[in-house]
Amino acid sequence: MLSRELGGTAIETFWAGTSYLLANAVLLPFLGAVSDVFGRQSVLMFSLTMFAAGTIVCCTAKNFTQLLSGRTIQGVGGGGLFILSFIITTDIIPLRQRPKYQSLLMAAFALGTILGPLTGGLVAEHAQWQWLFYVNFPFCAVGFLVIPFAFRRFGLKIQLSFADSLRQIDWIGGMLFVAGASSFLMGISWGGVQYSWGSFKTWLPILLGVLSIAAFLIYERFVPTRPLIRLSIFDNRSGGLVFLLTLFFGFELYTHLYYIPFYLSSVKALRPSITGVYIMALSFIMIPLAVVVGAAITRRGTYLWAIRLGFAALIFENGLLLYLDQDKNLVAHFFIIMMVAVGHGFLMVSLNIATQAIADARDVVFAVSMFTFIRQFGICIGVGVGGTVFNNVMLRALENKGFPTDQAHAVAENSEAFVGVLTAMDDGPEKDGLTSAYVDGFRGIWYLLLSLAAVSLALSFLVKHHGIDKKLESGHELREKKGAESTVAKV
């Protein structure tokens, strides 16, 4: 729809989603660190303003250059809104009580992610594409009204002047990190989609990104008095393993949410709105389960059981996806796709709480920022790696089925754009062969995710338990007014 209305190519359409994800990911740790200096409310309002401004740019876009600019600005704002929501809970809620509150936040963001395909499908079929962005404005308006009211008694314990606050920020570390992460993720996103993996346009950004991140880590270890990221959060082996599991979780989550709708539209020829209904059904398991898991972690004081159950469930669920093909009925598809939500429901909260439990109390904000970044990092890697696996497996399947090499390459390299052609084809051997090749491509994805879940489950048994009965430490406070005085609230 976007490519037709704005005259964009398949690559530009791909970047309409990817530009948001990249901007969302790379600025997460920086915005979290800045909020420690300028205060949560200031950075939250900045993020909301950026999201609203990006939405306006998208709504008024006349071409893809404007649209991608708006999506990037939206990504900056969306990342800030996401990370600040969780950081604020670490300021005012003790760790033991935090899982049940953070599970509600996770559920809210998951609901928005899952409702997106349904909304997008309805817009694609029945309205102008601008309504994809118009729907954001009421939420932005509520945010602008609510944030000042909600933060009227919450702020920094020690408020510095604007000039002193600027000097407190690790600008050099921030530039190294943002540049390195952006370059690396750009290369990963380009690989196998826009350029081949062997092209210097793919490997050079990845190499420069790695070198920049290495320089950032060395700089952070030895130079700044107030670093962007406290590397002590990686000193504990269990902490490092949990961050690695978070990377795999992000990869699994995005790949499921991206490729299941693609599967339904290509293999089962479902309309966008019906595909959205299937994905929305995930919320009826994922969201309540995440809330229940959060409450159970608070009650039991442990989280490792949820991590292990989550990855075990993903192994089973990816195995079920391998069972699906063009001949299975839609009822079987519906229940199997709903089962995918179980593993993610267990992992959404448990991994986040694990990072906070393992980190020192003074480092919790940095652990939350890094957890969110690494999860988004995994999502972005899923874009490139998932696309490469799908295209290569599908290409091999087409060639094995006797399709000419030129046709096989054309279909595999433009598999999403070809869905409309496939759906319009008359039933026959050619359509059956093409559909079967799509199924093989998706099975390549499911095998990859199954293997990743199996590795993750094995690694989860190496993580040691850390208690969640920790003292609350924060440079921010929630005050209650009592007469003419103001005291720190007990939470």
Side-chain angles (χ1 to χ4, degrees):
M1 183 179 188
L2 283 174
S3 60
R4 181 179 68 251
E5 295 291 335
L6 297 178
T9 64
I11 295 298
E12 287 174 323
T13 304
F14 165 80
W15 277 100
T18 305
S19 59
Y20 179 93
L21 290 175
L22 292 181
N24 188 286
V26 298
L27 284 170
L28 286 171
F30 183 74
L31 291 173
V34 170
S35 74
D36 241 15
V37 177
F38 281 97
R40 312 301 190 212
Q41 181 180 3
S42 299
V43 179
L44 197 60
M45 286 296 288
F46 166 80
S47 301
L48 183 58
T49 302
M50 290 291 286
F51 186 83
T55 302
I56 293 172
V57 173
C58 290
C59 290
T60 58
K62 303 299 182 184
N63 53 57
F64 255 91
T65 300
Q66 289 178 264
L67 180 68
L68 296 181
S69 299
R71 290 292 285 162
T72 302
I73 297 170
Q74 268 192 322
V76 174
L81 292 172
F82 185 83
I83 188 60
L84 263 295
S85 301
F86 287 94
I87 288 177
I88 290 166
T89 64
T90 69
D91 293 324
I92 59 177
I93 301 172
L95 181 56
R96 181 61 182 258
Q97 303 301 319
R98 218 172 283 161
K100 59 185 180 183
Y101 290 97
Q102 292 192 345
S103 65
L104 294 174
L105 286 175
M106 283 282 192
F109 281 104
L111 180 61
T113 300
I114 292 170
L115 286 177
L118 176 60
T119 304
L122 291 172
V123 169
E125 291 183 26
H126 304 294
Q128 294 179 323
W129 65 267
Q130 286 89 345
W131 278 99
L132 291 168
F133 303 103
Y134 288 153
V135 295
N136 292 317
F137 288 124
F139 299 102
C140 292
V142 171
F144 282 120
L145 292 173
V146 168
I147 290 174
F149 174 79
F151 283 81
R152 68 194 186 283
R153 298 182 193 141
F154 178 75
L156 287 162
K157 293 178 180 177
I158 302 175
Q159 184 68 57
L160 301 175
S161 68
F162 182 77
D164 288 338
S165 296
L166 285 177
R167 285 192 287 269
Q168 290 286 317
I169 297 174
D170 179 15
W171 294 106
I172 295 177
M175 287 188 289
L176 285 172
F177 180 84
V178 171
S182 299
S183 181
F184 182 86
L185 290 175
M186 288 278 283
I188 289 290
S189 300
W190 280 336
V193 178
Q194 192 163 348
Y195 307 109
S196 69
W197 286 101
S199 170
F200 78 93
K201 294 180 180 179
T202 297
W203 62 257
L204 183 58
I206 294 175
L207 176 61
L208 293 175
V210 170
L211 293 176
S212 182
I213 292 295
F216 163 77
L217 294 174
I218 295 171
Y219 176 83
E220 292 294 290
R221 177 68 73 177
F222 299 107
V223 179
T225 55
R226 190 164 187 163
L228 177 69
I229 296 172
R230 290 180 183 168
L231 300 182
S232 56
I233 62 176
F234 296 103
D235 290 344
N236 186 295
R237 187 186 73 170
S238 291
L241 285 172
V242 170
F243 284 127
L244 181 60
L245 294 176
T246 299
L247 179 75
F248 294 159
F249 166 57
F251 189 108
E252 294 258 356
L253 177 64
Y254 178 81
T255 306
H256 279 139
L257 292 178
Y258 181 84
Y259 282 99
I260 288 175
F262 183 18
Y263 171 92
L264 292 171
S265 64
S266 58
V267 175
K268 302 303 292 183
L270 297 185
R271 301 195 311 273
S273 58
I274 303 301
T275 298
V277 170
Y278 270 74
I279 300 304
M280 188 181 67
L282 293 173
S283 65
F284 292 106
I285 292 179
M286 185 187 301
I287 293 174
L289 181 58
V291 174
V292 170
V293 169
I297 292 173
T298 293
R299 183 179 180 85
R300 299 183 59 183
T302 60
Y303 48 82
L304 288 178
W305 61 273
I307 294 175
R308 290 163 185 167
L309 277 176
F311 284 115
L314 284 178
I315 293 173
F316 177 71
E317 292 152 11
N318 287 316
L320 286 178
L321 289 175
L322 290 169
Y323 168 78
L324 297 178
D325 58 32
Q326 66 269 38
D327 297 321
K328 301 295 186 302
N329 60 52
L330 289 175
V331 175
H333 280 78
F334 182 79
F335 284 105
I336 288 176
I337 288 170
M338 282 189 69
M339 285 298 296
V340 171
V342 174
H344 296 305
F346 276 104
L347 294 170
M348 284 173 66
V349 182
S350 56
L351 286 170
N352 193 6
I353 296 302
T355 62
Q356 298 173 48
I358 295 170
D360 292 336
R362 63 186 181 87
D363 294 339
V364 166
V365 169
F366 298 91
V368 172
S369 296
M370 186 51 58
F371 164 83
T372 309
F373 166 73
I374 289 179
R375 197 189 73 147
Q376 296 299 98
F377 192 78
I379 288 173
C380 293
I381 291 177
V383 173
V385 176
T388 298
V389 170
F390 178 83
N391 291 344
N392 287 339
V393 174
M394 184 180 180
L395 174 62
R396 187 166 61 250
L398 288 168
E399 291 176 339
N400 291 340
K401 296 177 189 300
F403 285 89
T405 301
D406 290 345
Q407 183 184 6
H409 277 275
V411 172
E413 292 172 4
N414 298 278
S415 54
E416 291 185 70
F418 190 76
V419 170
V421 177
L422 178 66
T423 303
M425 290 177 65
D426 294 329
D427 292 337
E430 183 180 10
K431 184 175 183 178
D432 290 342
L434 289 168
T435 304
S436 178
Y438 270 91
V439 172
D440 289 340
F442 288 113
R443 282 179 175 164
I445 295 289
W446 312 146
Y447 274 118
L448 172 64
L449 296 182
L450 189 153
S451 302
L452 198 60
V455 171
S456 300
L457 179 62
L459 291 176
S460 71
F461 284 95
L462 301 177
V463 178
K464 294 182 179 179
H465 174 71
H466 290 69
I468 63 174
D469 293 305
K470 284 188 174 184
K471 181 182 177 182
L472 186 65
E473 292 185 21
S474 175
H476 299 70
E477 61 186 7
L478 181 65
R479 300 182 180 91
E480 288 180 347
K481 290 185 178 179
K482 292 183 179 180
E485 297 180 355
S486 184
T487 60
V488 178
K490 294 180 180 180
V491 291

